[in-house]
Each structure stands twice: as C-alpha cells, then as structure tokens.
Amino acid sequence: MDETRKGPGFILVIGAAWLLMLFLVLPIFVVIPVSFSPERFLSMPQGELSLRHYRELVDDPTWGRSIRDSFVVALAASGIAIVLGTACAIGCWRLATRFTESVRVFMLTPMIVPPIVHALGMHRVWVELGLIDTLAGLILAHAMKGMPFVVISVSAVLANFDLRLEQAARSLGASPLTAVRLTILPNIWPGVLAGGVFAFAISWDEIVVALFLTQRGVYTLPRRIWDGIQDNISPTVAAIGVILVLATILAVLLKLLWDRWLASRGAAESL
Amino acid sequence: MAVAGETVAAPAPPRTRLLGAERVNLVYWALVLVPLVVLVVFYIYPLSRVLLISVTEPRLGFGNYVRIVESTGVRRVIWTTTWICLVTSTLSLVLGYLLAYAILHMRSGWQTWMMVGVLLSFWVSILIRAFAWITLLQTRGLVNNFLLDAGLISQPLALIRNELGVIIGMVHYMVPYAALPLLASMRSIDARLVPAARGLGARPLQGFLYVYLPLSLPGIIAASILVLIFSLGFFVTPALLGGGRVIMLAEYIALQVNETLAWGLGTALASSMLITVFLMLVVLARAVSFRRLFGAA
C-alpha cells in the first residue's frame, strides 16, 4: 500500500489535485480586492483602499430590501419543505410498499428537471392562480424545489433507525402521531435539519424561477445581483459577494464541526 | 346494517387491534399522500402545462416541433448546447475523478482542507462565481492585465463572451458536482483490492486500470449523467459569461418566451429538454440504484 502511495504517479495525482483546488477556490476570492477598490467601475485597487462599495450596500435601499425578501422566502420555503418532506419520508419508510418506494423517487423530480422548464410551467399556472409576483407564489415554488433535499436526508437517517422503537411506543399505547413525535423525530432531527439547511440554501441562491415568477413586488437578492451584473457590472456586487463568500465559509466550517460532532455522538451511542 | 351486525358477532379484542392497525396505516398514508398531492398540484401540473402549451399554441399540432427541426437558428443553438455540454461534462468528470481519487488517498490532515475547498466551491453563490469570472476574464480583467504587464501578450485575449469563457465557468461549477458522487462511490470500493492486484504482480497503472477503474464505473456513470443533465439546463453561467454571443438552450428558451412571446416554440424546446433529461435518467436507473445514488449525496 505504502509503496503505491509514494510512487511518482501518485505524487503527480496529488499535485494535480492541489492545482485543481486552486482553480476551484482562488477565483472566488477575487471579489475581496475588487470590493475595496475606490473606483466606480470594476477594478483592482491601486494602493488606495475604499469602503464605498460597502457604503453603497447600506445606502441603496434595494439591497437591504432584496436581502429581506430573500430571507423571508428562503425561511418560509424551507419550513414548508421540512414539514412536507419529513412527513413523506417517514410515511414511505414506515409503510415500505412498492408504491411508496416509487413515491419517494417521484418526489425527487424537482431537483432533476432543468429550472427553465418548471419556471415556464409555473409562470403560466401562477398567473392563473394570481400568485405571480407575490411572496406566497415564490415561497410555494421554492418549497417544491427544496422538498426533495429534505426527503433524501431524512430518508438517509431513517434507513439506520430501528423500526421496533416505533412499534414499542405503539404497543405501550401511543397514538401514531405521538409515536412519531416521541420516538421518530428525536432521532431523525439531524437529517431534518440538514435537509432544511439545504432547502434554505437552494432558495437563497435561486434565480431562474425568481426571474419568471417575480417582477417588482418581490425582489430577491439573486435578482438584485443579476441586475447588478447586467448594468455595467457594478462593483457593489463584489461587496455583497465578499459577505456571501464569508457566510459560505462559516457554513462549511460549521458543517464539518457538525459532522464531527455527529460522528462522536454515534460512537458514544454504539459503545 | 351489515357492519353493525358484524361488530356484534366478532370478538371484541382482535377487532380493536385491527381497527388500530388500520388507523395507524391511515395516518402514515396521510403523511405520504399529502406531500404527494401538493407536489402533483403545484409542480407536476405546471410541468404538464409546458407539454400541453407546446402542442396547442399558436395552434393545435406538432408545428412547434417541426419548427425546431427546420429552423437553422434553433438548430445552431441545439448544436452549441450539445457540444458545450459534452466538453464541459467530460472535463468536469475527468477533473472530478482526479479530485475524488486524490482526496480519498491523501493524508487525512490534508483531506479536511480539500473537503473545505470542495464544499466551499459547491456552495458559493453561482452568481458571485459568474461575477468573479467576469472580473478575471474580461478584456481589462485581471488575467489580461497580468499577461499584458508581463509582456506575454500585446493584445488582450478574448476570454469571455465566447465558448471558452462559458466552458471555464461551467467546468468551475460542475467539478464539485462530479467529485461528490464519485467520492461517495469510491468510498465503497474495498481498499484491499488494488494492493492485492499489486501483490499478484500488477504494475501501479495496471492495478488502477484493471481493478480500480472498473470498480468505480457505476459512480462514473452516475456522475456523468448528473453532470450532463445539469449542464444541459444551465442558465446563469452561459447567460452571463456568454454575454449574448454564445446562446445555450435554456437562455434561448427564456428569450423566446420573454422577448418574442413565442411560448409555443419555447415550451416545445423545454419539453424536448425535459424528455431528453428523462431518457438520460432511464439510462442512469439501469446503471445504478437510485437509493444508493441519492442516499450518498
């Protein structure tokens, strides 16, 4: 094993992987210097640094508003996705018939269909339902997009959950919903949370459906950024980019800590 | 009533238990069916409308599909989309495979840092990435300025608003999408098999080509179809980095519907895209089990 590991071919592979990692990560960080440029156009700062693009984020009310809209939509959409996705995963797991197995695969449709396709269909139907350009309309659309991720992550946790726990609760007189609440939910909540975070992130960064379902009434952050790039590539986008990249780094580090905590918890339980 | 008569005739305890079991199942069926109905009403129904519009507007029939085949403009868009998708998917897959293999076999201290990088590039906003690439690649961008200052070129290179820029942006986005499922499938490969082949006299490259590569084939198929499906419907990166000169299918559909109000042609193209994606999924379902694929993601 060690012999293969230290061969010249292997060292080449590892070196190439590190180069690839630079290609993946470095371009993202270009937003940092650009965001401190004192110029009104997109440029690298030449000596002098400025916070004017961050000021712009605060002074221009459309940015604050779009952050608020995005937050409301993502929170509500992931809430709906959590409730529906968890319910579906639990039901499919407990019934475990051929039909429910197909339902579970069927529930994944929204993550496979190209966004432009469902954006067109939703636009038509939302116009008829009076949901176009409303918070409720976009929340509903994003909830559909988020649901598959909750179904997947909850199903993954349930696959390791002992069915007899639920049966024991039932035989002690718990009603089905009480059994779900007292035995299943306390054990699957990491999966519920992970799916919910996924659904939140999907909605937070969603642009294609938002372009088709909203105009002026709802103005999400991705749409604001989209407009910022379209109009003369505003450097303010770099400032919001820095904030978003920092938030993502924080989220990734939290996720790794979380994985570690789950692993240690799992190890402690199996002892 | 017959039912009431039966209740009297049947012994009480088993009857209660039976009712109880039925009620339990009812609750669980409700848990399954409510989300299913919501999905059908607010997702599947809108999708079916896309298919319907494509054969009813502007008039009943397959006229829109005939236009797809006959129009040279549409054919050019489909050709551009196809070859950019193929190049992007191939590059992403090769790079993703290399990354996954390296991560799985490197020291565990480095592994964590690699995972931070992969997850970061997986999660960072697609719009911010497109913006970053514009900053780097435009005529007066960082890359051109650097090359000009270094005297390596005398004219700025065209790195954006062409196929090259679109492919760079798309590969950058797709590598983690290829690497993560590959990583999951590689983890299930028995780590003792390649050393066993080596012990039997295989050279390192032989051990990889004849043992490791075939074992990772299900992961390769799954990852390649996922990447193909995603790149087929790609909207943001081609629209921003193509700068209106490289138009891929998703952007073309949006243009048809928004600019020329040609819903018929737009939905016909969208329907074709949908059917293509589902055909790819059929191939995928034959190659690997869905449960393994999505359970691992």
Side-chain angles (χ1 to χ4, degrees):
Chain A
M1 190 80 193
D2 275 350
E3 195 190 350
T4 15
R5 284 198 167 193
K6 293 191 176 107
F10 185 75
I11 291 167
L12 203 68
V13 168
I14 298 292
W18 279 110
L19 279 180
L20 184 57
M21 186 49 63
L22 291 181
F23 165 72
L24 288 182
V25 172
L26 274 188
I28 297 170
F29 286 101
V30 81
V31 290
I32 295 175
V34 173
S35 75
F36 291 110
S37 157
E39 306 291 343
R40 287 191 57 176
F41 52 88
L42 200 61
S43 61
M44 285 297 261
Q46 314 282 343
E48 190 193 348
L49 297 180
S50 147
L51 287 172
R52 64 178 292 176
H53 302 307
Y54 290 88
R55 252 221 95 68
E56 185 85 8
L57 280 183
V58 183
D59 290 347
D60 182 346
T62 59
W63 285 103
R65 198 212 142 178
S66 65
I67 290 173
R68 204 191 58 215
D69 276 6
S70 268
F71 192 74
V72 169
V73 169
L75 204 63
S78 54
I80 297 172
I82 284 178
V83 172
L84 292 175
T86 308
C88 184
I90 292 177
C92 289
W93 165 78
R94 180 63 177 74
L95 295 167
T97 64
R98 279 178 75 102
F99 175 72
T100 60
E101 282 304 305
S102 328
V103 168
R104 187 149 62 187
V105 174
F106 189 66
M107 294 300 282
L108 307 181
T109 324
M111 63 183 265
I112 294 297
V113 172
I116 185 75
V117 182
H118 53 231
L120 291 188
M122 282 173 168
H123 177 86
R124 266 298 165 96
V125 174
W126 267 223
V127 167
E128 289 163 3
L129 295 176
L131 285 171
I132 214 83
D133 203 21
T134 63
L135 278 174
L138 192 61
I139 288 169
L140 193 58
H142 281 183
M144 294 303 107
K145 287 189 70 105
M147 204 156 52
F149 297 95
V150 181
V151 172
I152 288 173
S153 70
V154 174
S155 297
V157 179
L158 279 170
N160 300 319
F161 180 69
D162 194 343
L163 190 62
R164 286 170 304 180
L165 226 68
E166 186 261 2
Q167 285 165 344
R170 295 273 309 123
S171 74
L172 290 170
S175 74
L177 282 179
T178 312
V180 166
R181 189 163 54 84
L182 292 181
T183 65
I184 301 180
L185 286 183
N187 285 288
I188 62 166
W189 66 268
V192 176
L193 190 69
V197 170
F198 234 106
F200 185 95
I202 294 292
S203 167
W204 180 259
D205 199 32
E206 205 285 330
I207 174 81
V208 180
V209 169
L211 281 176
F212 274 84
L213 297 188
T214 61
Q215 286 133 22
R216 285 188 190 83
V218 182
Y219 195 37
T220 60
L221 186 59
R223 272 193 59 208
R224 182 68 191 86
I225 297 174
W226 175 266
D227 290 344
I229 298 177
Q230 301 266 338
D231 327 327
N232 305 321
I233 317 179
S234 151
T236 321
V237 175
I240 192 79
V242 171
I243 295 169
L244 289 179
V245 168
L246 289 180
T248 311
I249 292 175
L250 194 69
V252 167
L253 293 178
L254 279 177
K255 189 215 172 319
L256 289 177
L257 283 176
W258 165 258
D259 284 350
R260 229 164 247 191
W261 180 76
L262 275 188
S264 67
R265 182 168 166 266
E269 270 175 9
S270 64
L271 276 176
Chain B
M1 290 199 309
V3 181
E6 253 178 12
T7 318
V8 176
R15 181 75 190 173
T16 343
R17 220 177 59 209
L18 190 71
L19 265 177
E22 273 168 6
R23 239 186 58 219
V24 174
N25 275 344
L26 263 181
V27 170
Y28 286 111
W29 275 111
L31 290 184
V32 174
L33 291 179
V34 170
L36 181 64
V37 168
V38 173
L39 184 81
V40 167
V41 172
F42 292 110
Y43 191 83
I44 304 299
Y45 170 64
L47 277 191
S48 73
R49 288 291 296 273
V50 173
L51 297 170
L52 192 68
I53 295 168
S54 77
V55 290
T56 54
E57 286 181 25
R59 61 190 72 80
L60 205 65
F62 289 94
N64 292 317
Y65 292 91
V66 173
R67 262 185 77 193
I68 293 180
V69 182
E70 284 177 350
S71 153
T72 47
V74 178
R75 279 217 307 266
R76 199 172 55 233
V77 169
I78 292 177
W79 168 243
T80 310
T81 309
T82 310
W83 84 258
I84 291 184
C85 272
L86 288 176
V87 171
T88 305
S89 304
T90 311
L91 282 173
S92 311
L93 207 68
V94 171
L95 297 176
Y97 192 95
L98 180 115
L99 192 63
Y101 183 87
I103 289 179
L104 208 60
H105 293 85
M106 65 177 30
R107 284 206 310 245
S108 61
W110 293 356
Q111 260 177 10
T112 313
W113 286 108
M114 276 281 188
M115 281 314 287
V116 170
V118 173
L119 289 173
L120 177 65
S121 87
F122 186 77
W123 281 113
V124 163
S125 161
I126 183 168
L127 288 154
I128 296 303
R129 282 199 241 196
F131 174 81
W133 279 114
I134 293 172
T135 314
L136 284 165
L137 300 180
Q138 64 180 337
T139 318
R140 303 232 158 265
L142 264 57
V143 172
N144 271 322
N145 278 352
F146 174 80
L147 291 176
L148 284 170
D149 290 347
L152 290 170
I153 51 173
S154 51
Q155 289 282 317
L157 301 172
L159 301 168
I160 207 177
R161 289 172 214 277
N162 56 21
E163 283 88 349
L164 179 67
V166 173
I167 290 173
I168 292 175
M170 279 175 71
V171 169
H172 184 247
Y173 186 82
M174 284 294 170
V175 167
Y177 277 87
L180 289 173
L182 279 169
L183 201 57
S185 94
M186 281 180 188
R187 284 216 169 95
S188 66
I189 296 176
D190 190 334
R192 293 167 303 184
L193 290 172
V194 171
R198 297 270 291 125
L200 292 167
R203 278 177 277 128
L205 195 61
Q206 284 179 318
F208 176 77
L209 284 180
Y210 295 121
V211 179
Y212 202 85
L213 196 60
L215 283 170
S216 58
L217 203 59
I220 296 178
I221 294 169
S224 57
I225 290 183
L226 277 186
V227 169
L228 255 180
I229 288 175
F230 282 135
S231 49
L232 185 64
F234 226 113
F235 180 83
V236 173
T237 309
L240 293 179
L241 293 176
R245 298 209 189 149
V246 184
I247 295 180
M248 283 178 66
L249 199 49
E251 191 189 359
Y252 188 75
I253 292 172
L255 286 174
Q256 289 306 312
V257 169
N258 289 335
E259 311 281 316
T260 55
L261 301 179
W263 272 83
L265 183 61
T267 50
L269 285 166
S271 306
S272 312
M273 197 189 242
L274 189 64
I275 293 162
T276 312
V277 164
F278 274 97
L279 288 179
M280 287 185 199
L281 278 182
V282 171
V283 177
L284 180 63
R286 281 168 173 261
V288 284
S289 96
F290 273 103
R291 278 194 68 152
R292 248 186 64 195
L293 180 64
F294 291 113

